[in-house]
């Protein structure tokens, strides 16, 4: 019988006594560092940081097996959970075991197709608002911070579909909730990766800004909860047929044991932050890829012209199923630029997977993008080629096990369908109505890891087609 591979038997970068590789880690580019180490040490290797044992995994087959063993045998890193909960956030993202199952059942009901269809008129209204802004920018020849537009658009979507609250951050100038949100994920990620929590003793300017942003978001969520409770009180039928995620959570909180105010607020905070960040950054990355591939833009525009006809955006919910190439653009963007390229887990007990022994106390750093960039999983993997998602025969190697932008296993992201709906709505509207020119130097756009993987700032110019 072959001997199990252990942490001790793994290779990895050279490490100093106790300190380990702490001085070598570049947190904003950790995902890229791992890609470099993977070429040297293979699909699984070890790191040591101030006495903490880290196992880095990039092999897609092994990652898939581990993620399928969640939430029982593996869970999110305990340090991540602790730091998130310190901010008053306890929801679907960081819940575990039976706790997670309760959260999951409630959230998925509020994000199902039925609720998306009910919400579709509101989605059209919000998309039209962004269209009008872009028409004004095009007419005036403005340089457009399209990343900020995407972030504000997704805030308006999330607050409407999840909370039943109509917002208009697209047309507001400064002081909006999105300005506070953008400070949250980077600071959480920074604290998760700090070996010593000095921020608990010495408060920097960024810490104080983070504290202020978090207070404002908590106040915002508290107000939303009170409005939701009032709606349910005035409309008792909502107890049987909640109209959105907020109402579903509030109804569940009245009857479900162990689901109180903390869980209500935690899930709303999670939805607001995750719903805004991930979709917006994927849309921003799609622009950086498309402007380098004119043939893809032509195909995208041809499909939009056919499906939308004389309309500026698609008019019926079912129309999104006809936007095959647009969805392929979204998938190809997520393959090359996944906004969550690193997943942090740890075993709940000593466990063997694929000949490796993972011990309780080990921390697993799973880099999910590496497989998707290898030719053994995707033909010409370094190339942006949306066609690979439409006609597999054109790309003999097309292994979707190496494609994990929404995770895998039981904790697969429940917001996937809504995210794709938003992306198809925006991309088809944008390229049906405008030509997009990159103003910033494409070579200057870099990947920055700050919980999610975002691009450095860039600007575009829009002209009417």
């Amino acid at each position: 019988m072959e001997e199990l591979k252990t942490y001790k038997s793994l290779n990895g970068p050279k490490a100093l006594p106790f300190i380990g590789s702490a001085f070598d880690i570049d947190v904003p580019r950790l995902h890229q560092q791992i890609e470099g180490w993977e070429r040297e040490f293979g699909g699984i290797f070890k790191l040591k940081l101030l006495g903490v044992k880290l196992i880095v995994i990039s092999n897609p087959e092994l990652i898939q097996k581990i993620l399928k063993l969640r939430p029982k045998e593996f869970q999110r890193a305990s340090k991540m959970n602790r730091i998130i909960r310190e901010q008053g956030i306890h929801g679907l993202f960081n819940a575990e075991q039976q706790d997670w199952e309760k959260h999951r059942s409630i959230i998925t009901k509020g994000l199902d197709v039925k609720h998306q269809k009910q919400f579709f008129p509101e989605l059209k209204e919000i998309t039209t608002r962004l269209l009008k802004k872009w028409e004004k920018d095009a007419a005036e020849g403005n340089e457009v911070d399209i990343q900020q537009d995407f972030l504000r658009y997704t805030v308006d979507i999330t607050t409407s579909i999840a909370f039943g609250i109509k917002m208009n951050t697209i047309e507001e100038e400064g002081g909006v909730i999105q300005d506070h949100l953008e400070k949250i994920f980077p600071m959480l990620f920074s604290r998760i990766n700090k070996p010593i929590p000095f921020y608990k003793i010495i408060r920097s300017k960024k810490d104080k800004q983070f504290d202020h942003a978090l207070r404002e978001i908590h106040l915002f969520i508290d107000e939303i909860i009170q409005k939701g409770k009032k709606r349910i009180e005035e409309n008792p039928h909502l107890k049987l047929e909640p109209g959105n995620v907020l109402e579903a959570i509030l109804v569940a909180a009245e009857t479900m044991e162990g689901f109180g105010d903390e869980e209500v607020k935690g899930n709303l905070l999670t939805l607001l932050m995750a719903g805004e960040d991930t979709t917006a950054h994927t849309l921003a990355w799609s622009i950086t890829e498309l402007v380098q591939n004119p043939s893809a833009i032509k195909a995208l525009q041809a499909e939009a012209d056919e499906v939308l006809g004389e309309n500026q955006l698609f008019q019926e919910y079912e129309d999104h199923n006809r936007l095959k190439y647009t969805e392929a653009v979204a998938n190809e963007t997520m393959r090359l630029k996944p906004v969550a390229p690193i997943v942090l887990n740890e075993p709940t007990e000593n466990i063997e997977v694929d000949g490796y022994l993972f011990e309780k106390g080990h921390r697993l750093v799973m880099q999910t993008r590496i497989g998707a960039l290898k030719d053994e999983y995707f033909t010409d993997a370094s190339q942006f080629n949306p066609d690979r998602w439409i006609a597999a025969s054109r790309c003999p190697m097309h292994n979707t096990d190496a494609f994990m932008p929404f995770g895998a296993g039981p904790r697969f992201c429940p917001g996937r369908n809504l995210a794709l709906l938003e992306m198809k709505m925006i991309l088809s509207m944008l390229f049906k109505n405008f030509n997009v020119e990159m103003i910033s130097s494409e070579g200057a756009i870099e990947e920055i890891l700050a919980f999610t993987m975002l691009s450095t700032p860039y600007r575009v110019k829009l002209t009417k087609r």
Side-chain angles (χ1 to χ4, degrees), residues 29 38 90 113 136-137 140 180 227 240 267 294 411 436:
R29 292 169 180 78
E38 187 269 349
H90 179 52
V113 170
K136 184 174 183 289
D137 286 329
E140 295 176 356
H180 300 304
K227 288 180 179 179
L240 298 175
N267 275 296
R411 297 198 62 152
V436 182

Side-chain angles (χ1 to χ4, degrees), residues 25-39 45 56 58 189 285 336-343 365-370 373 446-450 452-454:
I25 298 295
D26 181 5
V27 173
R29 292 169 180 78
L30 177 59
H31 62 300
Q32 295 171 326
Q33 280 188 302
I34 291 173
E35 289 168 4
W37 283 326
E38 187 269 349
R39 289 189 285 271
F45 58 89
V56 183
S58 62
F189 189 66
W285 282 122
L336 292 170
K337 303 289 188 181
V339 295
I342 289 182
V343 179
V365 181
M366 292 180 282
Q367 212 278 28
T368 60
R369 176 169 72 166
I370 288 175
L373 299 181
E446 298 181 1
E447 299 174 354
I448 300 294
L449 190 62
T452 51
M453 188 184 82
L454 58 149

Side-chain angles (χ1 to χ4, degrees), residues 113-390:
V113 170
K114 173 187 171 184
H115 284 92
Q116 287 183 35
K117 286 182 177 179
Q118 290 176 350
F119 168 72
F120 186 71
E122 180 73 9
L123 176 63
K124 286 201 300 181
E125 182 181 325
I126 296 169
T127 306
T128 300
R129 201 152 60 220
L130 184 56
L131 168 66
K132 298 305 179 187
K133 178 191 180 300
W134 284 344
E135 286 181 330
K136 184 174 183 289
D137 286 329
E140 295 176 356
N142 298 331
E143 291 186 5
V144 178
D145 185 345
I146 203 165
Q147 294 155 295
Q148 283 298 311
D149 286 347
F150 289 148
L151 285 163
R152 294 185 179 222
Y153 173 80
T154 51
V155 165
D156 288 357
I157 297 290
T158 303
T159 52
S160 185
I161 189 171
F163 309 150
I165 302 293
K166 290 192 176 186
M167 294 185 67
N168 183 7
T169 67
I170 290 171
E171 295 175 339
E172 291 181 21
E173 291 294 335
V176 298
I177 198 67
Q178 190 272 319
D179 296 336
H180 300 304
L181 284 169
E182 66 184 19
K183 296 179 175 66
I184 302 299
F185 270 148
M187 182 58 78
L188 287 176
F189 189 66
S190 173
R191 291 182 177 181
I192 288 166
N193 287 282
K194 281 186 188 301
I196 301 173
F198 288 119
Y199 62 87
K200 292 187 177 182
I201 304 169
I202 303 170
R203 311 295 287 175
S204 68
K205 182 179 178 180
K206 285 187 176 181
D207 287 318
K208 293 175 182 177
Q209 290 174 339
F210 172 76
D211 291 341
H212 173 70
L214 198 62
R215 280 195 301 272
E216 290 296 317
I217 291 172
H218 273 279
L219 289 171
F220 176 73
I221 293 296
D222 286 339
E223 183 181 350
I224 282 175
I225 290 173
Q226 292 309 311
K227 288 180 179 179
K229 286 181 177 180
K230 186 177 180 181
R231 278 203 308 274
I232 292 173
E233 184 181 337
E234 294 174 348
N235 302 277
H237 70 276
L238 293 175
K239 290 189 176 184
L240 298 175
E241 198 68 30
N244 51 55
V245 179
L246 167 63
E247 292 164 2
I249 292 174
L250 289 172
V251 170
E254 292 181 0
T255 57
M256 189 175 290
E257 185 179 350
F259 203 95
D261 290 345
E262 180 190 10
E263 287 74 20
V264 170
K265 181 182 279 192
N267 275 296
L268 298 184
L269 285 165
T270 300
L271 283 167
L272 182 60
M273 291 189 293
E276 175 250 10
D277 224 50
T278 52
T279 304
H281 290 320
T282 299
L283 284 166
W285 282 122
S286 72
I287 301 303
T288 67
E289 294 299 320
L290 285 165
V291 296
Q292 299 178 70
N293 293 273
S295 61
I297 289 178
K298 287 181 179 179
L300 190 62
Q301 289 176 327
E303 181 177 78
D305 289 341
E306 179 182 350
V307 174
L308 276 57
E310 297 300 315
N311 299 306
Q312 291 181 294
L313 57 149
F314 64 85
Q315 299 297 302
E316 303 296 333
Y317 174 82
E318 289 72 17
D319 287 343
H320 84 89
N321 292 316
R322 299 170 59 199
L323 292 164
K324 304 295 186 185
Y325 191 83
T326 310
E327 183 170 333
V329 167
N331 282 331
E332 186 69 344
T333 299
M334 291 186 287
R335 182 183 70 83
L336 292 170
K337 303 289 188 181
V339 295
I342 289 182
V343 179
L344 303 176
N345 272 208
E346 60 185 40
T348 58
E349 58 191 25
N350 294 353
I351 184 171
E352 178 270 326
V353 183
D354 252 14
Y356 293 96
L357 176 64
F358 300 107
E359 299 178 36
K360 187 173 182 177
H362 286 165
R363 294 182 186 171
L364 308 188
V365 181
M366 292 180 282
Q367 212 278 28
T368 60
R369 176 169 72 166
I370 288 175
L373 299 181
K374 287 179 175 286
D375 288 345
E376 63 191 270
Y377 296 103
F378 289 95
T379 302
D380 296 326
S382 63
Q383 302 301 309
F384 180 79
N385 178 18
D387 282 328
R388 74 173 79 246
W389 297 96
I390 295 173

